[in-house]
Amino acid sequence: MVDSQYYLPNDVGISALDCTEAFRLLSPREQLYAHYLSRSAWYGGLAVLLQTSPESASIFVLLQRLFRKQPPAQLGNVATAAGLSPEEYQENLKALVWQSQAFQDSPSEMEALWDSCSTLLYSLEDKQKQLGLGDKGITTYFSGNCCLEDAELAQKFLDSKNLSAYNTRLFKKKSEGKSCYEVRLASAVQEGESDYFLFLKAIYDFEDRVFTVSRGDYDHLMKKVSENLEKAKDHAANENQKRMLEEYSRSFTFGSVEAHKEGSRFWIKDKGPIVESYIGFIESYRDPFGSRGEFEGFVAVVNKAMSERFAKLVSSAEVLLPELPWPKDFEKDRFLLPDFTSLDVLTFAGSGIPAGINIPNYDDIRQSEGFKNVSLGNVLAVAYATQKDKLTFLDEEDKDVYIKWKGPSFEVQVGLHELLGHGSGKLFVQDEKGTFNFEQDNVRNPETGEKITTWYKGNETWDSKFSTISCSYEECRAECVGLYLCLNKHVLSIFGHEGEDAEEVVYVNWLNMVRAGLLGLEFYTSESKSWRQAHMQARFVILRVLLEAGEGLVTLKESTGKDGRPDALITLDRSKIHTVGKGAIERFLCKLQVLKSTADVEGGRALYEGYSAVSDGGSHNFLCLRETVLQRKEARKMFVQANTRVKGDSVELVEYQGSAAGLICSFTERFADDAEEVEAHLLELNKRDAPFPSGRSLESV
């Protein structure tokens, strides 16, 4: 029997992100600015297909061609005429493709597209079931013959040349018995097209291997990104926005992370914009090594009423930071007050939409120059709406309070997680000149009482040092900060919660975290003993910590449901949150920060991987509970986003139904003006990777 985690039901929840009122209130200039930023984001977002798996781009092109010729309603009629039932119409994709107008018009091209992706589309071979490096899964951040040792060697090479991995991919081949690596930078220009950055030599000998640094990855897409950023610049509100877009364009044109960092500096200085955005190779969650950024871009409009609450939280940050459970030497020398706004998303291009963001991710900028926080209000409004009959693993009494307070409690958690979670903590660094940013002789490790013996050196960063665990570890630290500081009455009052209501917010926030820790088991792959989602791994770790605290704080029991299937019940003793719970999180959070500050990779791995372990031993059989979670899982919601269209001197907002048909239509119309060009470029870019081993053979399309 196939593992139930690989089944996706046909009735997945689909919701439209509402930004009608927010967009309507923009001036014509602001609407044009938002439009061209959105176009940049959507074109760049297509790079995610090339960052995911070998077949992803072909699947996208197949579906775009299928539905561009006939929308879902028309295809439904075609399916019915061909004798396909409604269920078969949704499930028998090949039969539908063969009956479609797209196939009738171009049978050889559509068949070639199908052949290039169909086997991998349905494959449940162990390596092809999840993202991973080497034999642990599929990734196109690396060629298929790369393993962990190759990733580690490449990181050492990049560090030695002061190059960031964020906008790179790595390809390996053999030449005369020697391993040769190509580090490919994302840029619109390829080699020979510009004399920009001539200081970067193309070929290097490094540890008896050959490394080639090349440009031009995703070149067609990066050109589209840069062109639309230049158009957006004509409608920028101020000089900071103009300089920001100039540097971003330079980054995507020439493959320079330094230019993107410079753009991010101007972005930080752009305080309180009406239209907020960020774009680039940002989050490294889906790189199995944890260093390469997935392309994402968002454009959103400020929600002023909600932003006022976050502004109050920012103004209280310097009072709240000393409350965190580590010595002051482990906190930043100066907290740079950031923007923290609530936004209604117009566009979010990438593999998923988060509830909140703390960026930029560049350690050197975050530590000394600042950052911004955003909470995505219209995402929160629809993503976390819950029906009682679909709530799993809680008793009936908890379900009622959970439904009532989940939204308000999650708003508090997101605010604390982003601002004071990701925004807190100091990294101990010795720079290239040998200068330390901490007092070596005086600072002591609070866990051992000894002097600090490890730190970050030169170009080392948090991501490069902690690599495969860095993303989830940092999310866990930020989640713990949220749990810890939500116990503070002042924090709760900022969000309008007092007295008994405040205690309900605390209870549901902690209850949601331990339930999420159990649900996180869905994202653990037992065959490879690996986690596939950073946040859910983090929440499982927190569940383990709170279970370990004992004294009846958290209880997790296996049971049999009313339907006769395996079930589970998780409970939280609210009377012990402020005592047992707070103490457990306080101790764990201090350990997390000390290990991070001191670049103690060995200690950090031992701690985090220990709590991340999923086994059938001990007081809880988590492998068995994983099967229960999979049997009772609910598919994650999908979002339908609006499009914008220039009409004369104005911009039209085009919205769609919150349905599968609406989602499909939004994508076909999104690229309608240059669909054939974009699709041809995607397939061409995909073919470039074909000479490198990937565990499959790419057909010529």
Side-chain angles (χ1 to χ4, degrees), residues 607-619:
L607 177 73
Y608 200 69
E609 290 176 350
Y611 280 107
S612 297
V614 177
S615 70
D616 55 4
S619 55

Side-chain angles (χ1 to χ4, degrees), residues 36 60 64 73 78 105 131 133 142 180 220 259 274 324 375 425-426 435 443 476 486 574 582 629 646 673 691:
Y36 288 115
F60 178 81
Q64 286 289 95
V78 170
D105 291 348
L131 297 175
L133 187 56
F142 301 84
C180 299
H220 300 297
I274 300 300
L324 292 171
S375 174
K426 181 175 182 174
T435 304
V443 178
C476 185
C486 83
R574 67 168 67 214
K582 181 179 180 181
V629 169
V646 175
D673 292 342

Side-chain angles (χ1 to χ4, degrees), residues 201-270:
K201 191 173 69 171
I203 301 175
Y204 301 85
D205 288 317
F206 185 80
E207 296 194 4
D208 198 35
R209 280 87 157 184
V210 176
F211 277 83
T212 301
V213 179
S214 66
R215 292 189 179 83
D217 210 5
Y218 328 118
D219 56 343
H220 300 297
L221 301 179
M222 295 301 101
K223 183 179 180 182
K224 292 276 192 183
V225 171
S226 295
E227 287 173 348
N228 281 280
L229 290 177
E230 291 295 328
K231 292 177 181 178
K233 192 174 71 171
D234 293 337
H235 308 284
N238 54 56
E239 192 63 23
N240 279 324
Q241 288 183 359
K242 290 179 181 177
R243 295 291 303 277
M244 168 189 81
L245 295 177
E246 285 173 0
E247 294 296 334
Y248 288 165
S249 180
R250 194 159 66 96
S251 171
F252 301 130
T253 299
F254 300 109
S256 168
V257 170
E258 287 303 315
H260 193 270
K261 290 172 74 171
E262 193 64 21
S264 296
R265 291 185 172 98
F266 287 111
W267 178 70
I268 293 168
K269 294 175 185 176
D270 184 28

Side-chain angles (χ1 to χ4, degrees), residues 9 21 35 98 177 193 229 237 285 299 307 319 558 618 655 659 674:
E21 184 65 10
H35 166 75
W98 256 247
E193 292 185 36
L229 290 177
Y285 301 127
V299 184
S307 295
V319 176
E558 296 179 57
E655 297 181 283
S659 64
D674 53 2

Side-chain angles (χ1 to χ4, degrees), residues 1-7 52-55 119-139 286 522-532 626-627 630 633 694-695:
M1 179 180 175
V2 177
D3 196 326
S4 59
Q5 78 179 96
Y6 302 109
Y7 284 106
T52 302
S53 68
E55 72 276 15
T119 299
L120 290 173
L121 173 63
Y122 294 108
S123 173
L124 287 175
E125 291 184 18
D126 286 345
K127 182 176 178 176
Q128 294 165 353
K129 288 192 294 189
Q130 68 276 318
L131 297 175
L133 187 56
D135 60 2
K136 290 186 177 295
I138 283 291
T139 178
R286 302 213 309 170
E522 174 190 342
F523 298 91
Y524 177 78
T525 301
S526 55
E527 295 87 350
S528 60
K529 297 183 178 179
S530 61
W531 286 89
R532 307 188 309 279
R626 173 181 175 271
E627 295 303 317
L630 289 174
K633 73 171 184 176
S694 63

